[in-house]
Amino acid sequence: MRILPFLIFLSSFSFAQTYFQQEVNYKIDVSLDDKTHTLSAFETFEYINNSPDELNFIYIHLWPNAYKDNTSAMSLQQYRNGNKVMENNSEVDKGFIDSLDFKVEGQQATFLYNLTHKDIGKLVLNEPLKPGGKITVSTPFRVKLPNGNISRLGHVGESYQITQWYPKPAVYDKEGWHQMPYLTQGEFYSEYGSFDVSITLPSNYVVGATGDLQTESEIQFLDNKAQHTESKLDSILILSAKGNNFPKSSSQVKTIRYTQSKVHDFAWFADKRYHVLKGEVELPISKRKVTTWAMFTNSQANLWKNSIEYLNDGIYWYSKWNGDYPYNQVTAVDGTISAGGGMEYPNVTVIGGASSATQLELVIVHEVGHNWFYGILGSNERVHPWMDEGINTANEIRYFKTKYPENNEFSNNFGGVADKIHLGGISHHCGNHLTYGFSANNGKDQPIELHSNDYTSLNYGAIVYAKTGLVFTYLRDYLGENVYDKAMKAYFDQWKFKHPQPKDLQKVMESQTGKDLNWFFDDVINTTGKIDFKLRRVRKRNEGGYSAEILNAGDIRSPVRVDAYFEGKLVETVWTESTEDFGVLDAEFNSTQIDKVVIDGEENMPDVNRMNNSWEKTRTLNKVEPIHFEFLAGDNESDKNTIWWTPIVGANAYDKLMVGALFHNITAPKNKLEFSVAPLFSFGNSTLAGIGDVHLNFTPARLIKKMEVGVKGQTFGEEILISDKSPYSFDLEGRSSLDKMLYWVVKPYLFMELGNNRERRRFSHNIELQYIWARSVSELQTAETETKGGFVQYNFNYKKRKYSLESNLRVDLLGDDVLSNYSNSFVYLDIKQAWTYRIKSEKKIELRMFAGKSLYTRSLLGVENDFRFGFALGGQNGTQDYFYEQFMFGRNESNGLWAQQRIENQGGFKTVSDFGFSTNFMASANLYAELPWGPIGVFGDYGVFDNGNKLITAANAGLGIRLLQGNLAAYVPLISTSNIQNSLTQKEFIQTIRITLNISALTYRNLLGGVN
Ligand SMILES: [Zn+2]
């Protein structure tokens, strides 16, 4: 939603209004039919208008309609995030709500559906509802339950997850109405009130629900179940391997009743297979006792055996840190959920499949924690998702640090390959730092304060959860635990059962701590500004003690903690507050014995570059962390400079087999200086071959998301056809031959990802500048070529639901410096558009258009058409790849399989013919349509070019096979114009198959870096 400045102006008036909150009290009778998977219900709610406004209508959410078809906001968002369950599977069990018949005070009332969102409607009141007034609304309703794997509501077989299921008024607050469609990525905002819900279902179902169970016989039923599970736990664990089938539903039905006040939602879960464990926890402040329930099936019984402990510990610590749990019970149920690892509802949480007991504990504690940050403190989750998810994550990080200070429990979480690549021993806090760093150091981050639907799916995790968790941990470290807890408890006391806004939290925090926290709430929460402090120098003071000079190398004027150590023990901690001007801060230590100084030694601050944080007396280079080798890949550990290595082999037609190793420091969070180098021994040439790249990463956070400045290079063998027509400086003696060459390429470059990080956008754009120096020398030193030049390329990409566009505009400048009088420059525009259509599975129709014009061509030798520098109708072959942009297996082959490889660029004709070359002008259009069966498609090419004398046209069509997203492809031309036909040097059918192999797209750096 875009906000108009005028509305902000208006809202500055409404801000002065006193706080008010509406109240909704529900009574619902519902029965479950587990044959047809439907709910039949009757709802009555009392709506109390505490606002100063007269209301003429009430917005009502009908969220089961999100599952109706693929036009719902939920389905569109899932599609955008790569989940096509609603889109692709016409057989998937969809859902909806119907049979509505709204009455207000017993009188028929008009109900209008929102035209865009079928899951929102407007109940028009027959008479305006006055401030302070109250009305009773009633309606029957029926819900067809969707497949429980789509999002949060539904059934998996006869296991029921009944959430966001009943007609529910939207929140009306000082900002007006907050009607919202149901989303998977983006949660809710609801009015407080009370619930009185009676559920009728076959009597052998076990139910976990919001509220206090009022039905005596059901209390007995659950207690019996709990006793049975407790006494038979060992045999359940053994039996759990023996399937998880649903028992037959009882022909008897039961009606069970729950009531609860001061909550804003009601959910229930029913499964006939549930084992039940019951526990109790004493609250730390009031000493009141809370009952805990765990309900689980055979499938993960071994993980759930200690689940009561996780529930009790979660309730205890959250109460201690934030304020006592105000309700009587907490239930966790085992269920299939696709909206993340678990989902919270008041008093009851549903937990998805876990990979280990620790992960189960993590999810249970997180979901139980939502009783505070969502349940009791009812912020608007849709608009400020960090207020519940992020602060909850901070508590969860603290829980793991408190319960497992040695971290050895958490390290069991991964195992296998993760252990090998070093992720095994990582703490929960570190895991969050890594997730945030992965996004931030790649320039992909977004601010913490953002509407949940504006996040990319990466950042919904990396920012809303991880970064917010980290920054609140940092704030706690800065304020100190006592002060922080006092402030958090005051926030709890002032805002429990209400709707706090970010400003309300800031106000409480500042008044309780006496600190100006604008740096936190304005800069850390509202921007993508990075935190990076650098240790400049440490010196001994004349007056005794030490002084450390800290440079703020980041974007935020935040306080920074500096720790001093002696013989491995922390001896002194100093906090320095950043001053108005960025720049240098001094941390003064009184200790006389210090051998190590570390910025943020406990790693509580989300510092994006921890490689510049330490000074050690005994190191040769005091500020440089020691170099350390590790196998393959791993996370970025701040106390050492790790270089990862792995043996590799390669091959091409000239070097034959190559053997060597790859060394790199590509990791997460990304290093500022990043490199990868792969020296190889070439058996074909008995010499060194290989590739390398070194660059600096910047994330300026304004206008440019990410910048790389660096240089890359490669050296391999090739063969060049030497003829006396070629403009090379060597004595040919009339000879024309293929000569074995070695080439070196050095390419300094600048890459900039443009844009700001605020919102998720449909488009992205970047600029790349590259200079090239390439030298190729023949083995016998009889020939050499040198290419110098550069290019600038602007890329613009746009992506919509069923359409995408990739376009690039590029200017090349080239000089063949040996002759120093031969130069070219080209400009070209390349536009590729793709439409997705659906016949059985997703297929694409792709239209590519290319136009290139030479700006300047000059040759004193009269070689107008050096076959290397110009536009090739069939795309560049290896020899024409003058910037050495693509890895070619046989760069200069003129026959054999590798002569059939071309780059899919320029004219884009899918032919092996070298017909069609221009140093002046070329334009073409290429159509490719994937067929419904397998990876096959049809293509058609049309092009026109200037051959120096006149314009020539050509056309070509046939069949193609594309794999690995088109990076590996083969094309079989079936019909082409005679000019293409006639120019084929190899005429056998098999030799006319054109090959595309885009290795650059599949390189280690692209795969591991996940970007560019
Ligand atoms: Zn959560």
Side-chain angles (χ1 to χ4, degrees):
M1 190 176 80
R2 183 157 295 281
I3 293 164
L4 301 167
F6 182 64
L7 293 183
I8 294 173
F9 168 73
L10 285 182
S11 72
S12 62
F13 289 91
S14 59
F15 204 76
Q17 285 177 2
T18 49
Y19 179 87
F20 69 83
Q21 184 174 309
Q22 308 293 68
E23 186 179 331
V24 190
N25 299 312
Y26 299 84
K27 185 175 185 314
I28 307 174
D29 292 300
V30 57
S31 62
L32 167 70
D33 180 338
D34 67 352
K35 302 279 180 300
T36 58
H37 308 301
T38 49
L39 303 176
S40 304
F42 192 87
E43 171 182 282
T44 307
F45 65 79
E46 180 187 63
Y47 187 94
I48 303 171
N49 180 14
N50 294 322
S51 83
D53 310 317
E54 201 171 87
L55 300 179
N56 294 306
F57 59 84
I58 298 172
Y59 275 110
I60 305 279
H61 292 143
L62 301 169
W63 284 328
N65 277 346
Y67 303 84
K68 201 166 186 172
D69 57 44
N70 62 9
T71 64
S72 71
M74 171 189 75
S75 174
L76 295 175
Q77 188 199 54
Q78 286 191 331
Y79 186 91
R80 188 188 74 189
N81 285 344
N83 176 347
K84 294 174 185 170
V85 59
M86 288 284 285
E87 188 67 27
N88 275 352
N89 190 349
S90 54
E91 288 84 48
V92 76
D93 213 357
K94 292 182 178 156
F96 53 82
I97 182 167
D98 67 4
S99 310
L100 297 162
D101 181 18
F102 282 99
K103 292 201 167 70
V104 178
E105 299 295 344
Q107 302 294 309
Q108 203 74 34
T110 310
F111 188 78
L112 305 168
Y113 280 90
N114 183 295
L115 294 178
T116 318
H117 303 295
K118 294 187 195 81
D119 52 352
I120 301 175
K122 200 179 198 178
L123 178 65
V124 181
L125 304 179
N126 298 325
E127 282 168 41
L129 177 59
K130 299 258 186 282
K134 176 196 297 198
I135 46 170
T136 303
V137 176
S138 67
T139 181
F141 69 94
R142 186 176 76 115
V143 176
K144 166 75 183 62
L145 296 167
N147 182 316
N149 292 310
I150 299 174
S151 187
R152 300 180 182 96
L153 165 70
H155 71 98
V156 177
E158 287 164 9
S159 179
Y160 294 91
Q161 304 171 55
I162 313 301
T163 65
Q164 279 92 23
W165 57 286
Y166 53 91
K168 185 178 194 183
V171 171
Y172 183 75
D173 66 14
K174 67 185 177 199
E175 293 168 345
W177 283 103
H178 292 272
Q179 74 278 21
M180 53 182 77
Y182 177 91
L183 291 178
T184 298
Q185 180 186 306
E187 296 183 344
F188 311 98
Y189 188 36
S190 306
E191 300 288 14
Y192 282 94
S194 65
F195 285 83
D196 180 341
V197 179
S198 296
I199 301 166
T200 303
L201 75 179
S203 60
N204 58 337
Y205 273 89
V206 180
V207 176
T210 300
D212 296 335
L213 181 59
Q214 302 296 335
T215 313
E216 208 44 58
S217 54
E218 185 68 6
I219 294 172
Q220 200 54 52
F221 172 78
L222 284 182
D223 281 342
N224 289 344
K225 279 263 171 199
Q227 272 164 24
H228 182 261
T229 305
E230 191 78 50
S231 62
K232 294 273 180 348
L233 195 56
D234 291 340
S235 60
I236 287 168
L237 296 180
I238 294 162
L239 284 173
S240 66
K242 293 191 178 165
N244 204 18
N245 295 332
F246 291 102
K248 214 169 146 332
S249 289
S250 165
S251 54
Q252 303 277 315
V253 293
K254 62 182 174 187
T255 297
I256 53 182
R257 178 169 169 245
Y258 295 84
T259 61
Q260 186 62 55
S261 60
K262 293 186 172 173
V263 287
H264 55 60
D265 201 3
F266 187 99
W268 55 284
F269 302 86
D271 197 313
K272 290 171 287 189
R273 303 166 301 174
Y274 279 153
H275 304 295
V276 176
L277 285 173
K278 184 181 182 181
E280 191 178 69
V281 57
E282 187 185 279
L283 299 176
I285 301 167
S286 65
K287 309 292 175 196
R288 199 164 55 79
K289 295 215 165 71
V290 172
T291 308
T292 44
W293 297 94
M295 300 177 175
F296 54 96
T297 68
N298 278 345
S299 71
Q300 298 212 306
N302 57 328
L303 301 181
W304 279 75
K305 62 176 190 276
N306 297 322
S307 50
I308 290 292
E309 175 199 317
Y310 312 149
L311 283 161
N312 291 353
D313 289 353
I315 294 162
Y316 178 85
W317 289 108
Y318 271 74
S319 293
K320 194 170 169 69
W321 296 327
N322 303 287
D324 267 359
Y325 183 73
Y327 311 111
N328 297 324
Q329 64 100 359
V330 176
T331 303
V333 305
D334 170 11
T336 313
I337 174 153
S338 62
M343 184 63 199
E344 68 276 12
Y345 297 92
N347 314 144
V348 63
T349 65
V350 57
I351 311 295
S355 62
S356 66
T358 315
Q359 203 198 22
L360 179 69
E361 177 167 14
L362 173 71
V363 178
I364 287 182
V365 167
H366 178 94
E367 304 310 339
V368 166
H370 272 302
N371 275 297
W372 281 260
F373 302 99
Y374 147 84
I376 303 162
L377 293 155
S379 52
N380 185 338
E381 299 178 287
R382 184 64 62 87
V383 181
H384 312 291
W386 63 273
M387 291 185 77
D388 61 298
E389 296 302 353
I391 300 177
N392 190 20
T393 303
N395 276 278
E396 167 203 305
I397 290 172
R398 188 175 178 186
Y399 173 94
F400 273 91
K401 271 191 186 168
T402 307
K403 188 165 173 182
Y404 305 111
E406 296 306 318
N407 189 42
N408 43 12
E409 288 290 320
F410 210 79
S411 57
N412 295 331
N413 214 359
F414 298 96
V417 181
D419 275 337
K420 292 251 172 357
I421 63 168
H422 213 268
L423 291 170
I426 202 164
S427 74
H428 185 45
H429 186 188
C430 273
N432 280 290
H433 184 74
L434 204 146
T435 312
Y436 162 63
F438 179 77
S439 173
N441 292 15
N442 277 312
K444 289 183 179 296
D445 57 334
Q446 293 171 286
I448 287 175
E449 168 63 29
L450 197 64
H451 191 286
S452 46
N453 197 33
D454 285 335
Y455 282 103
T456 62
S457 46
L458 165 73
N459 282 336
Y460 195 65
I463 304 300
V464 174
Y465 289 69
K467 187 184 179 187
T468 313
L470 297 172
V471 302
F472 274 87
T473 303
Y474 172 33
L475 184 65
R476 177 162 57 85
D477 190 35
Y478 167 61
L479 295 172
E481 279 193 357
N482 291 339
V483 175
Y484 179 86
D485 287 352
K486 183 178 135 226
M488 275 305 192
K489 279 183 197 144
Y491 172 55
F492 177 90
D493 286 338
Q494 280 181 37
W495 288 98
K496 63 183 171 195
F497 316 124
K498 286 185 180 163
H499 300 309
Q501 297 282 329
K503 281 278 166 218
D504 301 320
L505 174 61
Q506 181 175 0
K507 211 170 148 191
V508 177
M509 296 295 286
E510 287 187 333
S511 69
Q512 292 294 316
T513 61
K515 298 243 185 210
D516 175 355
L517 297 175
N518 276 323
W519 66 270
F520 186 81
F521 285 96
D522 288 351
D523 300 341
V524 175
I525 299 283
N526 269 309
T527 74
T528 54
K530 311 290 187 292
I531 293 173
D532 179 19
F533 289 94
K534 184 175 176 175
L535 190 58
R536 221 197 222 169
R537 72 171 69 93
V538 176
R539 59 176 181 84
K540 213 169 177 156
R541 295 189 307 199
N542 292 335
E543 63 272 31
Y546 283 81
S547 174
E549 208 174 286
I550 312 294
L551 183 76
N552 189 346
D555 309 307
I556 291 181
R557 233 175 271 129
S558 58
V560 57
R561 168 181 165 161
V562 190
D563 295 297
Y565 298 82
F566 184 68
E567 291 178 345
K569 282 208 186 72
L570 179 67
V571 291
E572 199 173 341
T573 294
V574 171
W575 278 93
T576 30
E577 306 269 345
S578 289
T579 47
E580 265 310 298
D581 47 317
F582 273 58
V584 184
L585 310 165
D586 286 313
E588 306 292 343
F589 294 102
N590 296 322
S591 308
T592 48
Q593 283 190 310
I594 286 173
D595 60 11
K596 187 178 178 183
V597 175
V598 186
I599 294 174
D600 185 33
E602 309 263 288
E603 303 195 340
N604 284 313
M605 192 170 73
D607 191 331
V608 292
N609 181 13
R610 286 184 178 155
M611 302 312 288
N612 55 9
N613 284 14
S614 76
W615 170 93
E616 210 165 332
K617 209 172 196 171
T618 53
R619 284 187 211 141
T620 334
L621 294 165
N622 300 128
K623 291 186 296 167
V624 179
E625 283 79 10
I627 289 180
H628 164 87
F629 284 86
E630 246 176 63
F631 181 65
L632 200 60
D635 64 308
N636 200 352
E637 291 175 288
S638 56
D639 57 346
K640 42 188 167 290
N641 273 303
T642 309
I643 296 173
W644 288 272
W645 68 276
T646 175
I648 51 169
V649 291
N652 68 42
Y654 319 108
D655 292 296
K656 312 294 182 204
L657 177 70
M658 293 177 282
V659 176
L662 169 72
F663 299 90
H664 73 90
N665 73 342
I666 303 168
T667 176
K670 239 178 190 347
N671 280 304
K672 183 110 185 164
L673 176 82
E674 198 166 62
F675 71 87
S676 57
V677 56
L680 298 158
F681 180 77
S682 153
F683 283 90
N685 290 327
S686 301
T687 182
L688 181 79
I691 56 171
D693 172 278
V694 57
H695 64 263
L696 283 164
N697 291 310
F698 301 93
T699 50
R702 263 192 214 101
L703 301 172
I704 299 166
K705 290 184 179 182
K706 182 194 164 188
M707 187 158 87
E708 287 180 10
V709 184
V711 58
K712 52 189 165 191
Q714 67 197 66
T715 174
F716 289 106
E718 64 176 338
E719 267 173 13
I720 282 189
L721 178 68
I722 297 157
S723 75
D724 47 11
K725 281 195 172 169
S726 309
Y728 303 137
S729 64
F730 53 86
D731 183 9
L732 279 170
E733 296 169 344
R735 191 162 59 93
S736 170
S737 71
L738 271 174
D739 216 355
K740 216 170 182 183
M741 314 281 282
L742 289 175
Y743 77 85
W744 293 266
V745 176
V746 178
K747 297 190 275 194
Y749 66 94
L750 169 70
F751 173 83
M752 290 181 292
E753 186 78 46
L754 305 173
N756 74 53
N757 302 48
R758 183 109 204 127
E759 287 158 42
R760 162 192 202 117
R761 296 211 187 273
R762 289 191 191 283
F763 69 88
S764 64
H765 53 157
N766 59 64
I767 289 182
E768 190 172 3
L769 270 103
Q770 207 176 95
Y771 179 81
I772 186 169
W773 175 80
R775 187 160 183 269
S776 192
V777 180
S778 81
E779 205 181 21
L780 303 168
Q781 304 285 316
T782 53
E784 69 172 15
T785 71
E786 197 171 42
T787 308
K788 285 183 181 175
F791 70 77
V792 53
Q793 180 166 329
Y794 172 74
N795 302 307
F796 178 89
N797 298 314
Y798 178 85
K799 210 166 153 45
K800 243 183 114 174
R801 190 165 142 76
K802 300 217 155 187
Y803 167 73
S804 68
L805 176 135
E806 286 168 34
S807 58
N808 41 73
L809 178 66
R810 170 160 154 165
V811 181
D812 283 6
L813 291 161
L814 279 165
D816 201 336
D817 213 50
V818 178
L819 291 177
S820 74
N821 50 13
Y822 182 89
S823 53
N824 301 49
S825 76
F826 310 119
V827 56
Y828 50 86
L829 177 65
D830 193 340
I831 298 174
K832 193 161 94 183
Q833 306 176 71
W835 292 264
T836 310
Y837 69 98
R838 218 182 92 191
I839 304 173
K840 288 185 179 159
S841 57
E842 296 234 313
K843 294 291 172 182
K844 267 188 205 141
I845 297 177
E846 197 177 280
L847 174 65
R848 177 177 171 269
M849 288 174 294
F850 171 83
K853 176 83 181 91
S854 154
L855 298 178
Y856 180 70
T857 308
R858 185 161 67 99
S859 166
L860 293 182
L861 266 189
V863 184
E864 294 285 345
N865 286 327
D866 182 323
F867 64 96
R868 291 197 300 153
F869 305 147
F871 302 117
L873 197 64
Q876 290 172 311
N877 62 31
T879 310
Q880 292 163 333
D881 178 23
Y882 44 78
F883 275 113
Y884 294 87
E885 284 172 276
Q886 190 49 262
F887 293 105
M888 309 291 282
F889 192 82
R891 181 166 287 278
N892 320 108
E893 295 301 276
S894 54
N895 55 50
L897 179 67
W898 294 111
Q900 293 166 239
Q901 186 186 359
R902 292 287 183 285
I903 303 172
E904 216 157 286
N905 65 359
Q906 298 187 343
F909 269 50
K910 291 161 192 75
T911 172
V912 295
S913 163
D914 285 326
F915 174 76
F917 184 81
S918 177
T919 51
N920 183 27
F921 165 77
M922 180 176 286
S924 68
N926 315 102
L927 191 69
Y928 188 88
E930 293 175 348
L931 296 174
W933 319 278
I936 330 164
V938 289
F939 69 84
D941 304 314
Y942 179 81
V944 54
F945 64 94
D946 176 3
N947 78 342
N949 298 314
K950 59 175 193 277
L951 285 179
I952 295 183
T953 60
N956 186 37
L959 290 170
I961 297 179
R962 283 181 172 182
L963 300 166
L964 303 172
Q965 293 171 329
N967 290 310
L968 174 61
Y971 302 101
V972 183
L974 297 174
I975 338 162
S976 45
T977 45
S978 57
N979 43 19
I980 291 180
Q981 278 292 332
N982 297 338
S983 72
L984 283 170
T985 48
Q986 315 284 330
K987 305 269 183 188
E988 266 183 60
F989 172 73
I990 197 82
Q991 294 167 329
T992 63
I993 296 173
R994 145 72 178 265
I995 296 163
T996 298
L997 176 58
N998 184 6
I999 298 173
S1000 312
L1002 307 168
T1003 57
Y1004 191 76
R1005 182 172 167 225
N1006 284 351
L1007 295 176
L1008 198 69
V1011 282
N1012 301 346

